[in-house]
């Protein structure tokens, strides 16, 4: 289950990324079943153009180690619909 803190951090990160980059990352994470760990967090945020977004996401993923990547991916899709360019 995702926490309110994660949703808040995802919203902050979404504002720093393009919709395409956000959706691509959300789809990648939604396909994963494991929980975040140091290695997978580095892999998930590697290559993001916005260093601010990468840092915010890294911190959010770190505090969400009890959630599964797939849950985080679904939360990212929801945040995109509510706070992204679609609003």
């Amino acid at each position: 289950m995702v926490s309110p803190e994660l949703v808040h951090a995802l919203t902050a990160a979404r504002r720093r990324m393009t919709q395409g980059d956000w959706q691509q990352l959300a789809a990648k994470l939604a396909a994963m079943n494991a929980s975040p760990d140091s290695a997978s967090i580095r892999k998930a945020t590697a290559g993001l153009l916005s260093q601010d977004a990468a840092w915010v996401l890294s911190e959010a993923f770190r505090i969400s180690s009890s959630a599964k990547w797939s849950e985080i991916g679904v939360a990212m899709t929801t945040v995109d619909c509510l706070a992204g360019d679609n609003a």
Side-chain angles (χ1 to χ4, degrees):
M1 179 163 180
V2 296
S3 67
E5 293 82 14
L6 174 62
V7 173
H8 178 73
L10 291 176
T11 302
R14 173 60 187 93
R15 292 186 180 122
R16 293 170 170 84
M17 293 176 65
T18 66
Q19 185 175 28
D21 290 343
W22 183 264
Q23 290 175 344
Q24 184 178 12
L25 179 59
K28 182 170 100 174
L29 298 182
M32 299 168 64
N33 197 32
S35 294
D37 60 18
S38 295
S40 63
I41 291 170
R42 280 191 303 276
K43 185 176 180 181
T45 58
L48 294 179
L49 295 178
S50 170
Q51 293 301 309
D52 288 340
W55 183 84
V56 170
L57 288 173
S58 293
E59 293 301 308
F61 297 158
R62 198 174 336 280
I63 65 169
S64 301
S65 60
S66 62
K68 300 245 184 244
W69 278 120
S70 57
E71 295 170 329
I72 294 171
V74 170
M76 289 178 70
T77 300
T78 304
V79 164
D80 187 44
C81 290
L82 296 175
D85 300 334
N86 299 324

